Structures are given as C-alpha cells and as structure tokens.
Amino acid sequence: REKLTVFPLYFDVDIKLTVATLGEGADTKVVGPVWDPTEVEREVIDEENGFRFFKVIAKILAIVFPETSLEMFLYSATGKTGPLSSKVSFRLVFPSIVVDKDRAVIVREFLVQKLFNLSREESTVPFIRSFQKQLLTYSSSNHYRNVIDETAIRCRHGVRMIFNDKIEKGKPAGRVFLPLFTLVPEMVDQTIAKLEKNVSDRDDLVWLQKGSLVTPSLSHAE
C-alpha cells in the first residue's frame, strides 16, 4: 500500500535560556540573570493578554489558509538542557491544515519571514518587535528563524512523539512533551479562546491522537 505522505501542519518553538558566565571550570562565575524556564514559559504563553504570540502566528497562517480553522493543540517540553542553560519548548499542531513535507517547509519559511518583517522598526505590530528584543535577552541566538525550529519541520533528527522524552547522549533529558491546552482563534480577527481540558481530554490516548504526526486521520488522507 502506498505510504501516506500528508500530515497536520506543526511547528516546534524553541527558546534558549542561557546564563552569561566568566572563567572556566572551578573559576566559572555567573555574571548574568538565571532564567526560570517555567516562568519564561508563562510569559511566552501570555494568557492574560490573549496569547499574543500565538495570535500573530494564527493571523499569518490565515493569509495562506483563509477560511480554514486555525485551531491549534499546544504541547510543552520546557526544562533544563544543562547546568546553566534551559529551553522553553512548545509544539503547535494544526489539525485542520494538511501539508506534505515540501509544503510544510514553505509555510514555515513564510511564517519566519513575516515574523522578521513584523519585528522591524517600521512595523505596525509593536508587540512582535518588543517580543523579539525580549527573546534576545534570553539568548543571542533567539531570532525568529531559530525559534521556529527548522530541523523539526524538515525531520532532520526525527520528530519526538507526545509523552516521549528527549534522549541526549543515550539518556532521558527530562523534557517530555506534555499537553497544555487547545487554542481556538476566531476566523475574523484571530482572537483566541482557550479550551480547558475536559474529562475525556485528560485521557492520554486522546492527546496522543491530537498531536499525532505519523498517523493522519481519514480526513487528512482524503
């Protein structure tokens, strides 16, 4: 049987949190702030202000996929990556947007370019400009091109399944992908409503199916 080659659009969002140091070995001294990854994750989610970063992502995708539901399932794998480094990690899965590998790469490139344009001084979206500056305080590598992970969309190192840990040097890294909630942008202005997990949504199998990238539903196959 011919292998299915389409899947729901997804993005891995990775924000590095590094600590500035001087010296080496036992003489190493911390000279910058030590970021709490859980606190930074809450700031990025920005629930009190309407999930602003995710709202902008929805608005950009609406250019490519007008009149398409931009409901997104949000997962998190935030945690430590080393003694003085952490990472805020999300996965966004859009079940109503169906792509193949080539289209997924193009859509990611479009999203990154739009975020870059919105972060410039003449932008009419000041939040994205200020958010980019804030990301760069966590690490100088946190430009939008790196934050919207290219290696994940190109499957260069495989794609970790929901409820699975990151394996580094043969050992679990302690950063398991876990479900947060469902975000539902309005079709007109992408105002986002958060759906709380109901009883059935607490079932691990349900959330595993929501975040599945390897087994498209029958609607995806069509």
Side-chain angles (χ1 to χ4, degrees):
R1 188 169 66 85
E2 184 178 354
K3 185 178 179 181
L4 291 174
T5 57
V6 296
F7 49 88
L9 180 66
Y10 70 95
F11 299 114
D12 280 4
V13 178
D14 290 329
I15 300 169
K16 293 182 180 180
L17 311 177
T18 57
V19 178
T21 60
L22 288 176
E24 297 180 356
D27 297 327
T28 300
K29 294 183 179 180
V30 175
V31 295
V34 179
W35 310 105
D36 179 347
T38 302
E39 180 61 32
V40 174
E41 179 182 274
R42 282 197 294 267
E43 292 175 359
V44 174
I45 292 173
D46 194 28
E47 182 173 354
E48 292 184 358
N49 294 301
F51 306 96
R52 286 178 292 181
F53 181 52
F54 302 104
K55 179 178 178 179
V56 171
I57 289 176
K59 284 188 172 183
I60 293 172
L61 292 181
I63 300 171
V64 187
F65 303 99
E67 301 181 7
T68 300
S69 170
L70 294 176
E71 177 185 44
M72 60 186 91
F73 303 138
L74 183 62
Y75 299 83
S76 167
T78 293
K80 291 283 187 180
T81 57
L84 293 174
S85 62
S86 303
K87 184 182 288 186
V88 173
S89 293
F90 298 106
R91 176 168 293 161
L92 285 172
V93 181
F94 297 85
S96 297
I97 300 178
V98 183
V99 293
D100 59 18
K101 186 175 180 180
D102 292 339
R103 179 62 60 87
V105 170
I106 292 170
V107 174
R108 176 205 165 266
E109 185 65 28
F110 180 81
L111 172 63
V112 167
Q113 188 61 49
K114 285 292 185 181
L115 288 172
F116 170 76
N117 291 341
L118 292 174
S119 69
R120 303 178 73 173
E121 290 300 327
E122 64 272 21
S123 168
T124 58
V125 185
F127 163 70
I128 288 296
R129 186 169 64 248
S130 62
F131 187 59
Q132 174 68 101
K133 291 179 180 179
Q134 182 62 38
L135 293 178
L136 292 173
T137 66
Y138 302 138
S139 170
S140 60
S141 67
N142 283 334
H143 294 280
Y144 286 125
R145 180 165 296 280
N146 298 326
V147 168
I148 310 297
D149 187 20
E150 181 182 16
T151 61
I153 207 72
R154 291 182 181 272
C155 303
R156 286 179 178 166
H157 308 299
V159 179
R160 190 170 12 143
M161 293 176 65
I162 306 305
F163 299 112
N164 279 252
D165 202 347
K166 179 80 170 181
I167 302 300
E168 294 179 342
K169 297 181 179 179
K171 297 180 179 180
R175 293 193 289 117
V176 179
F177 260 124
L178 297 174
L180 292 180
F181 34 69
T182 304
L183 300 179
V184 185
E186 293 291 334
M187 294 289 286
V188 177
D189 62 359
Q190 268 65 60
T191 299
I192 288 179
K194 181 185 75 171
L195 296 186
E196 298 289 350
K197 301 175 190 176
N198 57 38
V199 175
S200 63
D201 284 345
R202 293 196 181 105
D203 185 339
D204 288 354
L205 180 59
V206 173
W207 278 100
L208 185 62
Q209 291 171 334
K210 285 182 174 182
S212 173
L213 305 176
V214 295
T215 309
S217 68
L218 290 178
S219 62
H220 293 154
E222 293 169 0

